[in-house]
Amino acid sequence: MNKVVLSADAAVADIASGATVMLGGFGLCGIPENLIAALVRLGVRGLHTISNNMGVDGFGMGLMLEAGMIASHIGSYVGENRRLETMVLQGQLDLTLIPQGTLAERIRAGGAGIPAFYVPTGLGTVVAEGKETRQIGERMYVLEHALHADVALVKAWKGDRLGNLVYRKTARNFNPAMATAADLTIAEVEELV
Amino acid sequence: MSGKERIARRIALELRDGFYVNLGIGLPTMITAFVPAGMDVTFQSENGMLGVGPAPMAGAADPDLINAGKQPVTELPGCSYFGSEESFAMIRGGHMDMSVLGAMQVDEAGNLANWTIPGKMVKGMGGAMDLVAGARRVIVAMEHQTKEGASRILKACTLPLTGTHVVHDIVTELCWIRVSAEGLVLTEVAEGLTPQEVQARTEARLIISPEVRVMAMVGA
């Protein structure tokens, strides 16, 4: 078995317009920047993206935004991307902001076969609006559902032909959880070992 | 000494040996400079690190080593790395002894608003909602009033909330306030101020503690 693909373009070639795509990274740390560039070259549209942030103007997912490829986005913080702020305020992009820990756990649950779970996070805020709440013991909790994607694009430090990955320092962030939560995981690595 | 530094030095007094602490972006980060000598405090960064060290020397930044504010940091001996899902399991699971965050508004019920202004700002809550829901003690560190002179400590928050009944203490350059079931208790005021002067700059009703004293801080 050999999972190695020789170019980023070949790796993303089967991603279709309208796909749900998870992208690893925190800020610009541990983002699959070459896969993002290849996805922009591929020219697919109407993507539903799931990623903690959304790059900055001119880099990372900012490039996908500028190419008009994204129909909707789920994330926790997009404060570094002015273009996104403008697009959302003008209603050009459907943005769902959710707490970062809830985002991480929804992805983990998606990979772990857990359809939904209760958290205390966001109780009494807009995040809990329309969601089932339940008292367990002394405390109230909000029901959150798992996230799943067609494709996860992740970044790792080292990888091998079997698809084993090693992450480096805080470039790990959302990458390992996302790698479990999609039908197809594509990893960009610095070093093939 | 700036008001922000006084706040950081005051909060540093709340640290205890062996604490695991998450600090928000901005002012709270200043606390790391005032950990009392000989005390072991482990700082967590929610992007996946325990044992966060100070900023690197110029030119020595590692792009794979940042804090939750996306600034370059360094490793302290014994530091560890983990994914975001595990990081927030620590936070939500009650393993953080203390979380210090900034705020736009806090109110008499201990409600906190610090993530959005409708129609003006689309940034996101990041990890703030998780931190206030999960940390054992939540301290809000902020300037007492807005730049326009309006109180940030209100009878009831007007901005969208980050959490309800989540704040334990409020620290500003003017005072220390403990959130209790009865309301906001003024326990310390900055040197040179009276409790009444603090109340005059605060919209919320303050219950003046019978033991109210001058605000202490880690030595300058």
Side-chain angles (χ1 to χ4, degrees), chain B residues 95-112:
Chain B
H95 306 286
M96 288 297 118
D97 295 290
M98 191 189 287
S99 166
V100 185
L101 311 91
M104 296 191 270
Q105 298 176 342
V106 192
D107 70 23
E108 291 180 0
N111 298 324
L112 167 70

Side-chain angles (χ1 to χ4, degrees), chain A residues 154-171:
Chain A
V154 303
K155 165 72 191 291
W157 181 28
K158 295 177 183 178
D160 67 15
R161 66 181 178 85
L162 299 174
N164 296 308
L165 299 174
V166 177
Y167 303 91
R168 187 170 177 272
K169 301 188 176 182
T170 56

Side-chain angles (χ1 to χ4, degrees), chain A residues 76 78 85 100-101 139 168 170, chain B residues 62 64 92 122-123 126 133:
Chain A
S76 88
V78 294
E85 193 160 19
Q100 195 173 141
R139 211 169 166 187
R168 187 170 177 272
T170 56
Chain B
D62 179 343
D64 287 343
R92 199 187 307 102
V122 184
K123 291 192 189 300

